[in-house]
Every structure is written in structure tokens, then in C-alpha cells.
Amino acid sequence: MTRRPYIVGNWKMHGTRAMLSEARAIDRAAQRHMKVEVALAPPFTLIHPIHREAEQIAVGAQDCHQAEGGAFTGDISATMIADAGAKFVILGHSERRQGHAEGDEIVRAKAQSALAVGLRIIMCCGESAETRESGKAVAFVKRQLKASLPPADEMPADVAERLTIAYEPIWAIGTGTAATTDDIAEMHSAIRALLIELFGDEQGAEVRIIYGGSVKPENAAEIFAVPDVGGALVGGASLTADSLMGIALAASEPFDG
Ligand code: PEP
């Protein structure tokens, strides 16, 4: 992987304006770790305030609606998050797929809508514990990803710039137990093969595949040493500058030599 490691904090439904000082600390620290691309996905309410102040980190959203606008009470469109300063959006997170009944078709429509307004997307995929135990994790994730991504002929020409895949096994999210490095290696390699099949040798090889699921400063280095791990999507450990930047530091080390 020749690209800078990508470390993305997903604050989920955490954070009021009191957390802006933490975002500032992350931004300042990111300026000292230029070998790593650090980004933050706070709740919608903090996108604009963080964007206004940030000098280094990109700010993104954790979701958007698939429609451009209209009678969708409580929803927010891709245009709106871009207007607030978002540069990317996380789509298909398992907490949206499960908690909001978002199927692959809706996730795909959201991706189309986000790409159309110029956003980068982080497309999440990942299997349940049951699927892993049944031995069908790789087949499941490949199918889920294929169904959630827009078809290749609808993707922007610079697909490797605009698309990141986040492999997040559901059973590893927020549990404190990350996937094993063998499982991560197997899945990332299967996802890489799929990306090459979908987007061709050149673009397919350059799309970043990041891992998510209980990444913390203590386990980050061994996860980043796995072939084809291009960074991390970080939930719980992204809430303080110290732990998020501990992960960023681990990501910068293998690339220092
Ligand atoms: C996530 O929700 O994207 C995530 C990876 O959470 P955590 O790091 O807390 O497991």
C-alpha cells in the first residue's frame, strides 16, 4: 500500500460542544503526524463547528439520507452535510443497517447521492458472529459489498480517491475484542480481489481498505502490520485525542522506514 494510512474517528452519538476542545487537540496532533491522514466523523451537530476550526483533519458525517431533499422529517441530505463542511460520509455502518433497517439497496442509494455531491465515502461491511461461525464470512462480506456499492460505471473516474472500504466485523465493534490478524488478512485480501474485479487493476488496487472493531493504541500496531490494512475506523478509542493519536502513531511507524 503506497497511500498514507487513513485513521478515521467515528464519534457515534457522543459529543456536545464541550467536545470541541478534544477535536482541536486531535487537529493539532494531526499536524505533527503528517504521514497519517486523520479524519473525524462527529455527530451532525458538530460538523460545522469542527470544520470551521480544523486546519489539518477532514470532517465527515456518519450517515446521510439518499434523497436530495423533501418530506423526510429528521433526516439530512448529502448536500446538507457537504454544506456544513463534511468532506466524507460513513455509509452502511452495522449500527445503521441493524438499528435503522438499512438494507444494501438503501446503502447503495446513499452512496450514489453522496458521490453525486462530491463527497468521499467510507463504505462499511462486516459479518455477524453467527455468519463467522458458519464459515461463510468471506462470501457474506463480498456479497454485501457488491450489493451496497454503486455499479462501476456509475462510480467517479477517481474511484480510489473517493471510496474507502471499512471492514468491520459486527462482533468486534465496541466489544473490546478485535478480529484476529489472520481473519483480517483473509478478509482484506478477499475484498481487494473484489475491488480489482469491480474497478480494474489500477483503481481496484489503490482503494483503501481500513479495519474497524475495537482498535485501540495497544493493538493498533499488530493490526497495521497486516497486509492490505490501510488504516482504521475507530469508535470508542476516538473520543480522546490521546487514544486516537496513539493509534495514528502506530499507523505512522511501519511507514517511517
Ligand atoms: C465503529 O463503530 O466503527 C467501531 C469500530 O467501534 P469501536 O472502535 O468502538 O469498536
Side-chain angles (χ1 to χ4, degrees):
M1 178 69 56
T2 52
R3 315 201 36 206
R4 284 196 298 169
Y6 192 29
I7 307 298
V8 184
N10 171 15
W11 277 6
K12 310 194 187 199
M13 199 169 71
H14 298 291
T16 58
R17 283 179 297 160
M19 282 280 282
L20 290 175
S21 56
E22 214 59 49
R24 270 178 221 123
I26 290 170
D27 188 52
R28 275 196 306 273
Q31 293 171 39
R32 297 192 298 272
H33 293 286
M34 297 292 282
K35 290 185 176 175
V36 182
E37 190 175 341
V38 180
L40 213 51
F44 290 131
T45 49
L46 295 183
I47 292 174
H48 189 61
I50 296 177
H51 160 74
R52 222 174 29 199
E53 292 189 7
E55 291 182 12
Q56 183 60 35
I57 58 170
V59 186
Q62 301 167 18
D63 181 44
C64 66
H65 195 273
Q66 61 274 28
E68 271 178 46
F72 301 101
T73 303
D75 282 312
I76 184 156
S77 71
T79 304
M80 290 168 182
I81 58 173
D83 183 55
K87 296 288 179 270
F88 69 93
V89 58
I90 298 170
L91 294 173
H93 192 286
S94 58
E95 287 157 12
R96 302 277 332 161
R97 290 181 186 268
Q98 291 183 327
H100 298 262
E102 288 183 9
D104 298 334
E105 258 180 57
I106 291 177
V107 174
R108 175 185 276 200
K110 289 179 178 215
Q112 285 162 324
S113 171
L115 290 167
V117 301
L119 290 166
R120 295 165 89 187
I121 61 172
I122 298 178
M123 177 60 73
C124 300
C125 58
E127 80 286 355
S128 65
E130 262 177 11
T131 304
R132 174 141 298 270
E133 277 153 26
S134 73
K136 296 186 180 136
V138 169
F140 173 88
V141 166
K142 285 176 80 172
R143 190 211 50 74
Q144 183 186 54
L145 210 44
K146 220 168 165 172
S148 301
L149 287 170
D153 60 1
E154 286 181 26
M155 290 297 278
D158 57 344
V159 54
E161 265 313 305
R162 304 283 299 282
L163 171 67
T164 296
I165 306 296
Y167 167 54
E168 298 207 304
I170 297 169
W171 46 271
I173 294 178
T175 60
T177 307
T180 66
T181 49
D182 283 352
D183 289 344
I184 298 172
E186 181 192 34
M187 191 64 81
H188 280 226
S189 143
I191 293 172
R192 176 66 64 210
L194 176 67
L195 291 169
I196 288 173
E197 179 192 316
L198 294 175
F199 305 119
D201 288 348
E202 211 174 299
Q203 294 286 330
E206 283 293 308
V207 173
R208 278 189 292 212
I209 308 171
I210 62 179
Y211 167 79
S214 296
V215 179
K216 38 199 171 196
E218 298 76 29
N219 63 11
E222 63 168 340
I223 291 172
F224 296 140
V226 174
D228 236 339
V229 171
L233 183 55
V234 185
S238 70
L239 293 171
T240 67
D242 274 359
S243 62
L244 186 63
M245 296 318 290
I247 293 168
L249 189 62
S252 74
E253 274 161 4
F255 296 80
D256 276 351

